[in-house]
Amino acid sequence: MKSGKILILGSSNMDVVVEVDHMPSAGETIMASSKVLIPGGKGANQAYAAAILGGDAIFLGMIGSDDDGKALIENLKNVGVDTSHMDVTGLLPSGSTFLMVNKEGNNSIIVIPGANTLCTEDYIMRHEQALSDCDIFMTQMEIPETCVHSTIIRAKKAGKITILDPAPAPESIPDKVLKAVDYLTPNETELEHLTNIPANSIEAIKRGAKILLEKGVGNVLVTMGANGSLLVNSEGIRHFPSPKVNAVDSTAAGDTFNAAFAVSLSEGNSVEDSISFASHAAALSVCKKGAQISIPTREETETFINKINY
Ligand code: RIB
């Protein structure tokens, strides 16, 4: 069966990853044990993940005309992402991040958006075709908010399945945008930002998700790391467990989850099966360090699913 096309709009960053013992507090100087450059950015990670997991992925994003930009686009092309709608600008450098990973595998990220700030509505207008050609449209919040909002609304009006990963957490999302979102995929922190309800228990998470449902979101899919995910929609609430793994770095786990979910939906699978596929792919991604470099292939994911469900 031919799978549907997935259009991913979002950021590309070169991640400067440093491994630290603990996160520094204000005024503290600490030593890092290593520094590596790894292609990342929430949008590009999702595009990379969608392609390597077997999806038909098109990416809309901006990079600078610099070495980082070349490396970022090459990495996407290598796994088969359609990059023909990406724009290169001489006005700003490619996006980059300083990403600290501690011993427990948790990260803290500082983003320098650079060329990502030029992902505007004008840019989308120039690549209208990509939007009309896709079946599923997905995005996140690392490019200008106005562009994220208006493109989701346009995608929904055009009859596409829409997925919004509200990361990094925005202060709020206008109701008219929420009404255009079929699947909103916050983690607990993002849910807290969007609802002002501390997501400190399953009950509180359910309450927060219901508020977003009432505002018009089709399905709220809360990702809770090792605690699995929670699907809240008009049919009720369902918990999906995460496979148990030895986590070393959570970078890009959310991106992998979102992309794997979209790939499975694009193949005509049910929402439940797609969440299960996404949970397995995301669990594998936390077993390796880095962003795109940690995302498993389709084959690795299927082998893992067969092994642990044997
Ligand atoms: O979601 C992980 C990504 O967030 C990293 O690759 C980094 O670029 C930041 O944007």
Side-chain angles (χ1 to χ4, degrees):
M1 193 194 82
K2 201 173 167 300
S3 56
K5 278 188 192 300
I6 306 167
L7 176 64
I8 302 101
L9 163 67
S11 58
S12 309
N13 298 325
M14 185 55 83
D15 294 342
V16 181
V17 183
V18 292
E19 287 192 49
V20 295
D21 196 52
H22 65 276
M23 300 301 175
S25 41
E28 188 186 12
T29 301
I30 59 166
M31 299 293 164
S33 54
S34 66
K35 180 189 100 173
V36 273
L37 300 188
I38 301 178
K42 294 187 190 304
N45 291 347
Q46 293 187 4
Y48 182 98
I52 204 168
L53 286 163
D56 190 352
I58 313 163
F59 184 50
L60 277 182
M62 296 278 288
I63 47 171
S65 54
D66 45 28
D67 289 346
D68 282 350
K70 277 189 207 128
L72 290 168
I73 200 166
E74 263 327 293
N75 216 45
L76 295 177
K77 281 183 183 164
N78 285 344
V79 291
V81 175
D82 175 351
T83 58
S84 59
H85 294 280
M86 286 178 73
D87 272 9
V88 181
T89 176
L91 298 175
L92 286 169
S94 296
S96 57
T97 70
F98 284 104
L99 204 155
M100 278 175 283
V101 185
N102 71 8
K103 276 196 307 201
E104 286 76 41
N106 298 316
N107 60 40
S108 289
I109 309 179
I110 301 169
V111 181
I112 303 126
N116 293 310
T117 56
L118 300 178
C119 265
T120 58
E121 287 162 289
D122 280 357
Y123 164 62
I124 303 296
M125 293 297 184
R126 293 200 298 276
H127 297 278
E128 196 72 42
Q129 197 58 45
L131 191 58
S132 56
D133 283 353
C134 77
D135 300 284
I136 298 182
F137 170 73
M138 62 195 294
T139 189
Q140 333 71 33
M141 307 295 310
E142 240 177 22
I143 57 167
E145 218 171 73
T146 48
C147 177
V148 169
H149 294 169
S150 62
T151 315
I152 288 174
I153 291 174
R154 289 180 48 216
K156 181 70 182 173
K157 277 194 185 138
K160 317 297 177 188
I161 294 176
T162 57
I163 303 175
L164 174 60
D165 177 7
E171 278 312 307
S172 63
I173 301 176
D175 288 2
K176 64 176 186 208
V177 177
L178 291 175
K179 286 191 176 83
V181 176
D182 291 316
Y183 297 95
L184 186 73
T185 59
N187 63 19
E188 292 115 311
T189 314
E190 290 146 8
L191 185 69
E192 256 183 56
H193 273 262
L194 292 173
T195 60
N196 288 322
I197 296 181
N200 49 14
S201 68
I202 283 283
E203 282 320 306
I205 292 174
K206 287 179 186 170
R207 244 183 302 132
K210 278 185 183 161
I211 289 178
L212 295 170
L213 262 198
E214 279 156 18
K215 289 184 178 225
V217 174
N219 298 266
V220 182
L221 178 51
V222 186
T223 58
M224 305 180 296
N227 294 322
S229 53
L230 207 64
L231 174 68
V232 183
N233 59 25
S234 57
E235 287 162 28
I237 299 174
R238 214 171 137 190
H239 178 255
F240 294 80
S242 261
K244 299 276 166 277
V245 289
N246 289 326
V248 295
D249 179 4
S250 63
T251 308
D255 300 329
T256 305
F257 182 96
N258 275 273
F261 176 65
V263 168
S264 180
L265 283 185
S266 79
E267 293 171 353
N269 297 311
S270 69
V271 172
E272 289 75 13
D273 287 350
S274 299
I275 296 173
S276 171
F277 180 67
S279 308
H280 286 82
L284 273 183
S285 78
V286 303
C287 299
K288 280 195 194 159
K289 293 177 182 173
Q292 286 166 33
I293 204 172
S294 73
I295 299 170
T297 62
R298 177 65 172 248
E299 200 187 338
E300 286 165 342
T301 309
E302 283 176 351
T303 306
F304 179 56
I305 292 172
N306 292 335
K307 192 170 136 201
I308 71 162
N309 296 324
Y310 182 62

